Amino acid sequence: MSEPILTPAVARSLHLAAQGMLQARRARATKDDVLAAIRRMGVLQIDTISVVARSPYLVLWSRLGDYDPDWLDQLLAEGRLFEYWAHEACFIPIEDYGLYRHRMVDPGSLGWKYAGTWLASHREEVERVLAHIRANGPARSADFERADGKAGGWWEWKPEKRALEVLFTTGQLMIARRQQFHRVYDLAERVLPGWDDARMPSVAATRQRFVLDAVRALGVAKAAWIPDYHRTKPPHLDPQSLADEGLLLRARVEGWKEPVYVHADHADLLAQAVRGALQATLTSVLSPFDPVVWDRRRALDLFGFDYRLECYTPAEKRRYGYFTLPLLRRGALVGRVDAKAHRKTGVFELKSLVLEPGVRVSERLVRDLAGAFGRCARWHGCGQVVLAHAEPAALAMPLAAALGDPWAAAA
């Protein structure tokens, strides 16, 4: 049987269809839709920056449209999700707990995420924290007063916070819920009663599942893209072996040397793609930690979009802004916007909007972008969208007018 040949545009549509981002939803989202979206992605990366909505909430909005962010917190508290290290720190469907149990049993494989040397020299403090939670119930880091005289900060966690994180990484503690986005830790046996390590799949089965799940979530995948999705360590399973078993399908993309793989569950989706029946119509704002763009190499290969988050770059060296959000439009990544939600004043500020080279300014483009920005602003509780800067300059006036910002349009 010959391998299907896809154009790059069709490959992008297949990827977006698998991610649930091909077309805008027609029905208003429910809490079950939130869980279904996370299951489709496999993992939902967590980040705390809140210039706009925190990343996990924004990733869901990009797929679902308006929804209640409290539903994500409720799903965690109900035990339908759990938190652990996947691509990075992520919300994960609870049915996948066994896949990640291997990392908890062997936390040294997680590198910097596990402070093994620190644990060896602070076992008494760690045991005190564990005993406190065992006796007094769930706890936050803030529940422990700082006693070492140091200031807070990323690299100056108090010993109790380090202990909580070590116990979380080793699986002795789990995140029972979040309180104003702060983690609330509890004993694993209380959060997930009845778990038995005898249910943990074998290492070989786990390695296979991670490959299959990554390919399913990506829709279409080069072999080199697969390990990044769950940040798996070598040795990596060759996806061709799974294609030989019929668990994956092979295809070709015009202009690419290596083959791509599609999950067998997506056979019908692949057939639609080959027929040209997958039409990407969604225009949306993406989080920097969206699966579509979190792998810089994949975003460049698949979309021709060279994306780097600059919030960790010194201000004077930034090209696009502190927290730039990629712009998805009808199957292409057409630009990026540095935005800020001023919730107290009800203003959603587009500080800098830059289109990709070669993207033509048209009435339809302006209408699509204005609609996406307006929806995103309303979901943030902002009734006004203000455009401060746009490139190319020809975009500024028509977009400001479409956003209902007459002052900026006149300027």
Side-chain angles (χ1 to χ4, degrees):
M1 180 179 178
S2 61
E3 297 173 351
I5 299 176
L6 313 176
T7 66
V10 168
R12 290 192 289 270
S13 293
L14 184 53
H15 169 63
L16 294 171
Q19 284 282 317
M21 300 193 70
L22 193 67
Q23 298 171 342
R25 287 177 55 88
R26 295 183 179 274
R28 188 171 181 85
T30 66
K31 187 164 76 171
D32 285 342
D33 292 325
V34 171
L35 182 58
I38 298 171
R39 284 175 170 158
R40 182 191 291 263
M41 291 182 284
V43 296
L44 175 61
Q45 187 172 337
I46 301 167
D47 191 83
T48 59
I49 297 175
S50 56
V51 178
V52 291
R54 288 187 175 93
S55 179
Y57 302 108
L58 183 57
V59 169
L60 291 169
W61 175 83
S62 298
R63 288 155 175 74
L64 301 176
D66 290 353
Y67 76 100
D68 186 345
D70 286 344
W71 290 339
L72 178 60
D73 304 332
Q74 292 168 14
L75 289 167
L76 177 65
E78 291 166 3
R80 300 168 79 183
L81 299 173
F82 74 105
E83 291 188 33
Y84 199 65
W85 298 108
H87 178 79
E88 285 293 340
C90 290
F91 295 110
I92 308 167
I94 194 63
E95 57 266 25
D96 289 344
Y97 177 82
L99 297 177
Y100 294 89
R101 183 65 185 152
H102 287 284
R103 299 184 181 186
M104 302 173 195
V105 172
D106 180 24
S109 64
L110 294 169
W112 67 267
K113 300 176 180 69
Y114 173 59
T117 303
W118 183 89
L119 172 61
S121 59
H122 294 80
R123 288 195 177 275
E124 288 187 10
E125 288 129 297
V126 172
E127 288 301 323
R128 280 200 299 271
V129 169
L130 188 60
H132 173 88
I133 293 177
R134 184 175 290 116
N136 299 288
R140 302 168 302 154
S141 173
D143 296 333
F144 298 93
E145 291 186 10
R146 181 153 213 146
D148 59 7
K150 295 181 180 180
W154 187 258
W155 301 115
E156 287 293 350
W157 278 353
K158 58 190 174 185
E160 292 83 2
K161 171 62 175 174
R162 284 184 175 271
L164 290 168
E165 287 300 306
V166 165
L167 290 165
F168 163 74
T169 301
T170 59
Q172 296 176 75
L173 296 181
M174 293 180 69
I175 310 305
R177 62 182 184 277
R178 284 200 172 236
Q179 186 173 324
Q180 296 180 332
F181 211 68
H182 294 289
R183 284 173 162 178
V184 179
Y185 303 79
D186 199 0
L187 300 178
E189 58 262 33
R190 291 202 290 240
V191 177
L192 191 59
W195 171 260
D196 186 335
D197 277 351
R199 295 163 54 192
M200 186 167 55
S202 69
V203 171
T206 299
R207 186 176 293 128
Q208 182 184 92
R209 267 287 305 278
F210 277 139
V211 172
L212 292 172
D213 289 356
V215 175
R216 182 193 287 113
L218 289 169
V220 58
K222 291 183 180 181
W225 298 349
I226 295 171
D228 174 78
Y229 203 83
H230 299 98
R231 293 282 166 86
T232 54
K233 302 294 183 184
H236 294 128
L237 185 64
D238 183 357
Q240 181 56 48
S241 65
L242 300 181
D244 293 340
E245 295 181 44
L247 300 173
L248 294 179
L249 310 174
R250 268 178 54 130
R252 293 279 175 177
V253 176
E254 293 175 1
W256 294 7
K257 293 181 180 180
E258 57 270 77
V260 293
Y261 296 91
V262 177
H263 198 285
D265 288 353
H266 288 331
D268 289 343
L269 206 58
L270 176 60
Q272 292 178 55
V274 171
R275 295 198 308 270
L278 299 181
Q279 297 298 317
T281 59
L282 176 67
T283 299
S284 194
V285 180
L286 305 185
S287 161
F289 306 107
D290 194 294
V292 174
V293 294
W294 72 28
D295 182 342
R296 186 182 182 192
R297 174 178 55 177
R298 172 161 49 84
L300 187 59
D301 287 350
L302 190 55
F303 290 93
F305 188 71
D306 191 359
Y307 180 65
R308 182 190 296 273
L309 182 61
E310 297 180 298
C311 62
Y312 308 112
T313 302
E316 65 275 9
K317 295 183 179 181
R318 291 176 192 146
R319 166 67 177 89
Y320 298 105
Y322 174 74
F323 197 67
T324 53
L325 311 175
L327 302 175
L328 175 69
R329 178 186 179 254
R330 299 181 183 271
L333 292 172
V334 298
R336 61 203 90 196
V337 61
D338 187 23
K340 182 175 177 61
H342 301 274
R343 296 170 180 84
K344 290 183 179 179
T345 59
V347 173
F348 195 81
E349 180 186 11
L350 309 179
K351 300 167 70 173
S352 178
L353 168 60
V354 180
L355 295 183
E356 288 292 279
V359 174
R360 186 175 68 86
V361 177
S362 66
E363 289 185 12
R364 193 182 192 193
L365 172 78
V366 169
R367 186 168 60 249
D368 287 347
L369 292 179
F373 292 140
R375 292 190 300 274
C376 192
R378 288 192 295 274
W379 181 65
H380 280 84
C382 297
Q384 182 181 8
V385 185
V386 174
L387 176 65
H389 173 77
E391 297 179 30
L395 175 64
M397 187 177 295
L399 181 58
L403 292 169
D405 187 355
W407 182 88

